[in-house]
Amino acid sequence: SKTGVARLVGLMNERRASHSITKLVDGRILITGGISHFIDPPSPSFSFFSHNTAEIYDPTNETFSTNIAMRSVRAYHCSVTLNSGRVF
């Protein structure tokens, strides 16, 4: 934020960790991949799965888009916005 103070603006459509966040040239934020976990009852162990979806956060109206399908799962990855506006 311009004030340097973080605040909760909403929730993504899916819980994610180890995802990539990239600022697009129009100011929106692209959130790709990542992992989620679930508890496998009755075992106390955790299981993880990787996402093959992306979301876009629009800071103008503080909303997250619906899930966008990707060709493959991604987690622990990087992304960058190129000068052309494409994300690599």
Side-chain angles (χ1 to χ4, degrees), residues 28-68:
R28 294 178 303 155
I29 309 297
L30 175 66
I31 304 135
T32 59
I35 62 171
S36 287
H37 70 276
F38 58 93
I39 299 172
D40 188 15
S43 169
S45 64
F46 286 95
S47 297
F48 295 89
F49 67 92
S50 298
H51 289 282
N52 67 340
T53 58
E55 302 184 38
I56 294 179
Y57 172 70
D58 186 341
T60 303
N61 55 21
E62 298 184 344
T63 58
F64 289 90
S65 69
T66 56
N67 292 337
I68 302 162

Side-chain angles (χ1 to χ4, degrees), residues 2-24:
K2 292 180 182 178
T3 63
V5 176
R7 65 184 178 88
L8 180 65
V9 294
L11 299 174
M12 289 187 285
N13 294 297
E14 294 188 53
R15 290 182 176 197
R16 299 172 189 268
S18 303
H19 51 281
S20 178
I21 300 175
T22 310
K23 186 174 182 180
L24 303 175

